[in-house]
Amino acid sequence: MIARPAGLSRAVPALYSLALAALILGPLLGPGYLLLRDAVSTPRSFLTDSALGLTDAAARAVPQDAAIAALTSLLDGGLVVKAILLAALWLAGWGAARMVAALLPTTGLGPQLLASTVMLWNPYVAERLLQGHWSLLTGYAALPWAVLAALRLRRSARPWSPGSWCPLGLTLAAAGLTPTGALLATTLAAVLLAAPGGAGSRWPRLAVAAALAASASAPWLTATALSGAGAQGSDPTGVAAFAARAEPGLGTLGSLAGLGGIWNSAAVPATRTGLFAVAGTVVLLAVVACGLPALWRRRGNPVIAALAVVAAAAVLLPALAATGWGMTAGEWAVTRVPGAGLLRDAQKWVALAAPFYALAAAAGAGTLGRLGVRTSAGRVRSGQAAAVGIVAVLLALPDLAWGVGGALRPVHYPPAWERVAWQLRAADESGDVAVLPAGMFRLFPYSGDAPVLDPAPRMLPEDVLQTGELIVAAGTVEGEGGRARDVERLLLAGEDADGLARLGVRWVLVEHGTPGPLGQSRRTLDRLDEVYSDEELSLHRVAGDVAATGAEAGRRAASVVAHLVWAALLAGSASVLLAHHVRTGRGRGRADQA
């Protein structure tokens, strides 16, 4: 048998994961912008108070919005978002293969590729893509790398040395593109670092991890503290509205065990809306279950044991949260515990089970090989068994391919958006933007069949007022935007324009071609100056003095510093690791020459 070159073996999982990621995103990789439910990419974003998380709304999109604003000052926003999403999916699959190689070093290439497939090709990825949670998938992608980083830190007698903590710093900073991502990666890393064993005491490495987590989470922690939005509490009706959902024939626990069960029944692939969901879940769990005996024999490895405990908790706790008493406890928490509203979408935490699933699938390839029938060439090998597992996982969710059944397609904004943005930049007047029709979601002719978040807050250079109110199947979930609600009521009632000025509104943008309540707003608009109008958008100006409502200079400076801390951790850790890789490569090259 001809030996496979070591370099090729290392490269194959990365190339395979990249190919799978491209197959998943499919048509989205063409020209245009991502605009689907909660996902909004625009040609250019701006560093507004909203982007820094300094409005009365909860800081759910920091440092994401500020980072996109910085990058889109140099690059097209559609390209930036698609590049981040492609990189996230690629790294999720590659990281799973690397994790298997580290924890199960005797496994071959086939089981590593099976682990990559399980990490990438599952209902969690499909449903979060359909919901538009592209940035959450960066936190998901960080999980196998968090395992690798925790392994390095556990093996180091000097956890404070850059070579020891930089991998974890980079992982947590990348995951920290959103608050949820930071919590996912931090939780997994903390559990692994707290597990018994490793070099030296666990407390120094936990202290290092805590400092890194605080730095990675600095933007949203600072924004929450400065804005006070987290202390207001969340609407308790959101707990039931965002609870994990039972898919056909599976129940809530079965849906979560199969890495599905997102709250929005419209954000699921077609094959998860019928009894095929049962078949797909059975296939995925069977592939995972084949590896449980092998991992049980390795239960003495504290990292593997910890991953198993985390996976079990990630499935069971969201299932319990969807019960009657679980919802009661959740309602109490979101109204009384600052920041607890971040936990209400319970299904997103099932991501923590994915690394163990990938590891078990890889371990199961050996079991599948032992169960294989004999052929003229002998017993089926683990690589062949892994290939069978890969095909089974792919067929269990066939419509994840090509943009999740074509749902992920780029859109093209009409030129009116750029013209309005230019109008606001040219005017250079302080004051916020109110939007009509009322509500946060839109249904434009160019945006497809699913409601999408209003692109105005990310398209325009001024703060756009949003109530945060969400319309779900169970009813309405109120947001934290108190001033935005006051402005919305004023517009719908057709009141005098002076009220807008008192509330800090300089502009009113009317978005045509999308349904939504307009009330008596025409009476108010008739009292304003119309500065732009076409079939897509109309922009109206409030004359005279407008109350100042922007964040104070000190709060804004503190938020900017927090974002710079996060960016420094991301760039600094990456630079140190790159320099180490270059030095190692040169040393290996000199050794080969010798």
Side-chain angles (χ1 to χ4, degrees), residues 82-111:
K82 287 184 285 190
I84 293 174
L85 180 53
L86 178 63
L89 295 181
W90 168 49
L91 290 170
W94 186 23
R98 292 282 302 274
M99 178 187 68
V100 168
L103 289 173
L104 305 174
T106 59
T107 56
L109 179 60

Side-chain angles (χ1 to χ4, degrees), residues 58-414:
R60 296 187 180 94
V62 291
Q64 167 196 315
D65 285 354
I68 296 299
L71 291 171
T72 56
S73 65
L74 303 172
L75 301 168
D76 177 75
L79 179 62
V80 168
V81 168
K82 287 184 285 190
I84 293 174
L85 180 53
L86 178 63
L89 295 181
W90 168 49
L91 290 170
W94 186 23
R98 292 282 302 274
M99 178 187 68
V100 168
L103 289 173
L104 305 174
T106 59
T107 56
L109 179 60
Q112 292 178 31
L113 299 184
L114 177 57
S116 297
T117 307
V118 169
M119 192 74 190
L120 274 177
W121 208 273
N122 61 64
Y124 187 90
V125 172
E127 293 173 359
R128 291 298 160 174
L129 284 172
L130 290 177
Q131 187 58 38
H133 290 173
W134 66 270
S135 52
L136 173 60
L137 290 175
T138 63
Y140 176 81
L143 295 178
W145 298 96
V147 176
L148 292 166
L151 281 173
R152 177 178 287 199
L153 203 55
R154 286 174 58 86
R155 292 166 180 167
S156 174
R158 301 172 63 246
W160 53 87
S161 66
S164 299
W165 63 258
C166 274
L168 185 60
L170 178 59
T171 299
L172 294 182
L177 190 64
T178 63
T180 298
L183 290 176
L184 284 171
T186 298
T187 299
L188 185 58
V191 171
L192 297 181
L193 293 173
S201 170
R202 75 187 68 176
W203 299 112
R205 63 186 185 233
L206 283 172
V208 168
L212 295 174
S215 299
S217 302
W220 66 270
L221 291 175
T222 302
T224 300
L226 291 175
S227 67
Q232 298 174 10
S234 300
D235 184 353
T237 61
V239 174
F242 295 118
R245 181 183 55 85
E247 294 180 335
L250 290 169
T252 304
L253 182 60
S255 302
L256 291 167
L259 302 184
I262 193 171
W263 60 271
N264 186 0
S265 60
V268 297
T271 54
R272 302 293 295 185
T273 60
L275 291 181
F276 190 82
V278 177
T281 298
V282 168
V283 168
L284 175 62
L285 293 180
V287 171
V288 172
C290 285
L292 295 183
L295 293 185
W296 176 255
R297 291 192 294 272
R298 294 174 171 85
R299 63 188 180 277
N301 184 322
V303 172
I304 294 178
L307 286 174
V309 171
V310 169
V315 172
L316 293 175
L317 292 181
L320 290 174
T323 62
W325 69 265
M327 291 185 194
T328 300
E331 290 169 359
W332 178 89
V334 300
T335 54
R336 291 172 174 81
V337 180
L342 192 63
L343 306 176
R344 64 187 183 184
D345 180 0
Q347 189 268 350
K348 65 187 176 185
W349 306 106
V350 82
L352 290 167
F356 180 76
Y357 277 35
L359 187 69
T367 302
L368 289 172
R370 286 190 293 274
L371 293 176
V373 298
R374 289 187 177 277
T375 67
S376 59
R379 189 176 293 276
V380 175
R381 298 181 181 274
S382 62
Q384 295 169 309
V388 173
I390 289 171
V391 172
V393 171
L394 295 177
L395 293 179
L397 192 60
D399 45 357
L400 179 53
W402 205 244
V404 197
L408 288 175
R409 292 189 177 276
V411 305
H412 299 273
Y413 293 104

